[in-house]
Structure formats: C-alpha cells, structure tokens
Amino acid sequence: MTSPPDIRGIGVVGSGLMGAGIAEVCARAHLDVVVREVSPEAAAAGRRRITVSLDRALRSGKIGEKERDDSLGRIRVTSDLDALADRDVVIEAIVEDEHLKTAVFGTLDKIVAREDAILASNTSSIPIMKLAMATTRPQQVIGIHFFNPVPVLGLVEIVPSLLTGTHVIARSTEFVQDALRKQAVRAQDRAGFIVNALLVPYLLSAIRMVETGTATAEDIDAGMVLGCAHPMGPLRLADLIGLDTLGAIASSLYAEYKEPLYATPPLLMRMIEARLLGRKSGRGFYLYDNEGGRR
C-alpha cells in the first residue's frame, strides 16, 4: 500500500466503533496514527476496542501476528488534543451531532499546525459546508465517510463542499484508494450524501412496518434477506448502525429535504429515549450478548 508522500501522520478524533475502525485501517496501511479521546478512561477503552478488532482479524487468518503487533505499535491513543498538531490528515469521528462536530472543527483549526493539512469528517449526513465554516481554512475541509465495520467494508464517500480545494479532493481520493485500498465514490454535499440518502428511508420504512404491526422484525428481515438477496435485513442493520445514530441521520435528512420519508418514526424515538440502541446497548429490535452476537 502506498499513500501520497505528504500523508504519513493521521489523526482520528474519537475511538468509538467508527473511529477505532478508521485508526485500525490506517495503521494496517503503515501510517502513523494518533487517536484522541475525551479522557484517559475513554482512551483506554478505545485502545481495547482496536486491540479486540485486530485480535479478531488474527484469529480469522486475515492478518498474521507480526502485522497485528506492528499495527498496534503504529497507534497511539491519548486524551491530549495537542497530540494532533503535527498530523497531515485529521479525521473527525465523534457522535453524529452538528454542534459537537462544529466545535471540534473550530478547535482543530487552532491546533493543527500544518496549513495544508486535510481536516476531514466521517459524518454520515451533516453537510460538510457547515463544518468547514467553523474553520478559517474551509478549502482544507472535506468529508471522508467510511462505513461500519470499517476494516471490512470497502466503500468510502468523498464529499467536498463548495469551497474544498481541488488539490484536497485529489489527495483525499488518493489516500483512500492507494493507501487504504478502498473504493472512493464522489458525492455532492447534500445531507446523507449517496448511501444514506437511499438507505435511511428504507430502514425507516421497515421500522414503520414493525410499528404498525404489518410484520415482525424477524419476518421483515427474512423477507429482505431471502427474497431480495440482501446480506442483512433492515432491522438487524439498524441495530448494527445504532438506533441513536440512525435517528440523528434521519433528523439531518429531514432538516435538509423536509420529505416525510425522512421523518423519524415515533417507535424509533421511543427506543432512543429508552436507550434501546441496538448492538452497542445489548437491545434494539433484537437482543445481543456482550460480544454483540444475537441471543
């Protein structure tokens, strides 16, 4: 794997499922990775999450022991935001909240020293322009949107805003395709981009079917897997994404388009309020064990 010669140091803000996955694939691409979390405890949890994922890849034979150890050695997880100052690319991967993300970009603008550093967001739905305008260098801000689970799925959406520089678009695409060996697709800066603009109405429709008693979650998922050759049914996929994340994406889409198909179903809102968030909480439309497997 090769990366643009001026991209060697990667920063990741956040070490949840997405941030940890992004850090892992960058480290496996022989890049130096610094992950920033909000506290030493969160940093330790993020390190464990990355280690568990690499151990899983080792057990399945996808990587060898040396690659596992070398990849871990390329990752530093810290609660010190200043540790991102020397990074060539910083990828924000925190919770899908516009105000929190905007605050992160305002802070990164002050901290990241390299003037031509790429400031990227892994947002699923928030327009990149809103994040870019929190900085004094909107031409350096771009969306680099990975998909969960990051080490497995091969797609990345590249989302420039109206002000993103052409050189930043080219470097970001080269970084994704040449270094990370993922397929980059170009999306316009519209809420939801390509995949979520199509996927989320489908997932919300499935939730409405459960809500109205049209069918059970199990039967809906079986119908789409066995009848349409989908690898995973919509309710199981919603649980995997996280129902809170799905609700946040739906809210961004509805705010942008005002289309009823993007409106959050009441059942989804109640489940989020009850913290029944899917795999990460142990219960959503299905029950899960501590390893995230179905019960």
Side-chain angles (χ1 to χ4, degrees):
M1 298 181 183
T2 60
S3 184
D6 58 345
I7 295 180
R8 302 304 306 165
I10 308 298
V12 180
V13 182
S15 63
L17 286 175
M18 296 304 294
I22 293 167
E24 178 184 336
V25 298
C26 289
R28 288 173 63 178
H30 304 279
L31 298 168
D32 178 69
V33 183
V34 173
V35 183
R36 192 268 176 174
E37 261 296 355
V38 295
S39 68
E41 295 76 17
R47 181 79 180 183
R48 286 194 298 272
R49 189 173 292 113
I50 296 166
T51 302
V52 166
S53 180
L54 285 167
D55 286 345
R56 188 183 303 119
L58 176 63
R59 288 195 303 271
S60 66
K62 294 178 181 177
I63 60 173
E65 190 169 345
K66 185 177 187 305
E67 183 178 352
R68 180 260 191 201
D69 293 343
D70 288 349
S71 296
L72 274 176
R74 297 187 191 102
I75 300 171
R76 177 161 58 100
V77 188
T78 178
S79 58
D80 180 11
L81 196 57
D82 289 333
L84 301 176
D86 65 347
R87 301 291 91 184
D88 304 313
V89 177
V90 179
I91 304 171
E92 168 274 313
I94 67 168
V95 65
E96 194 72 359
D97 182 293
E98 181 181 329
H99 299 294
L100 293 177
K101 287 181 184 289
T102 300
V104 166
F105 274 85
T107 302
L108 290 176
D109 188 41
K110 298 179 178 68
I111 288 174
V112 179
R114 182 170 167 174
E115 291 184 0
D116 65 345
I118 295 172
L119 303 182
S121 177
N122 184 59
T123 179
S124 303
S125 60
I126 297 168
I128 301 303
M129 182 60 74
K130 293 185 177 183
L131 306 179
M133 294 311 291
T135 77
T136 61
R137 40 179 150 174
Q139 72 280 2
Q140 300 300 130
V141 178
I142 193 167
I144 301 181
H145 178 221
F146 295 81
F147 290 81
N148 182 33
V150 180
V152 176
L153 297 186
L155 181 71
V156 176
E157 290 177 320
I158 301 293
V159 190
S161 79
L162 291 173
L163 300 179
T164 305
T166 55
H167 182 54
V168 172
I169 300 170
R171 288 174 67 213
S172 299
T173 304
E174 188 179 355
F175 162 64
V176 165
Q177 298 196 150
D178 294 349
L180 304 185
R181 299 297 190 195
K182 294 184 180 291
Q183 176 64 50
V185 295
R186 177 88 167 264
Q188 293 294 317
D189 188 20
R190 304 290 185 270
F193 316 133
I194 297 172
V195 174
N196 281 311
L198 291 169
L199 175 64
V200 169
Y202 161 65
L203 300 182
L204 298 180
S205 293
I207 294 172
R208 291 187 187 100
M209 291 185 79
V210 174
E211 186 173 54
T212 58
T214 302
T216 65
E218 291 84 355
D219 285 347
I220 293 168
D221 282 352
M224 296 310 295
V225 170
L226 300 176
C228 296
H230 287 204
M232 184 182 296
L235 285 314
R236 186 178 164 209
L237 179 56
D239 275 358
L240 176 63
I241 292 168
L243 300 189
D244 53 342
T245 300
L246 176 59
I249 297 169
S251 295
S252 292
L253 288 164
Y254 188 76
E256 179 102 327
Y257 300 111
K258 302 298 190 295
E259 294 280 356
L261 76 166
Y262 295 123
T264 306
L267 175 60
L268 178 58
M269 290 189 283
R270 297 296 89 77
M271 293 179 76
I272 294 169
E273 289 161 356
R275 306 305 293 170
L276 305 178
L277 305 179
R279 279 181 58 176
K280 61 186 172 185
S281 70
R283 179 181 169 190
F285 290 98
Y286 299 95
L287 296 175
Y288 301 89
D289 59 29
N290 291 335
E291 300 298 320
R294 283 270 306 277
R295 287 201 288 174

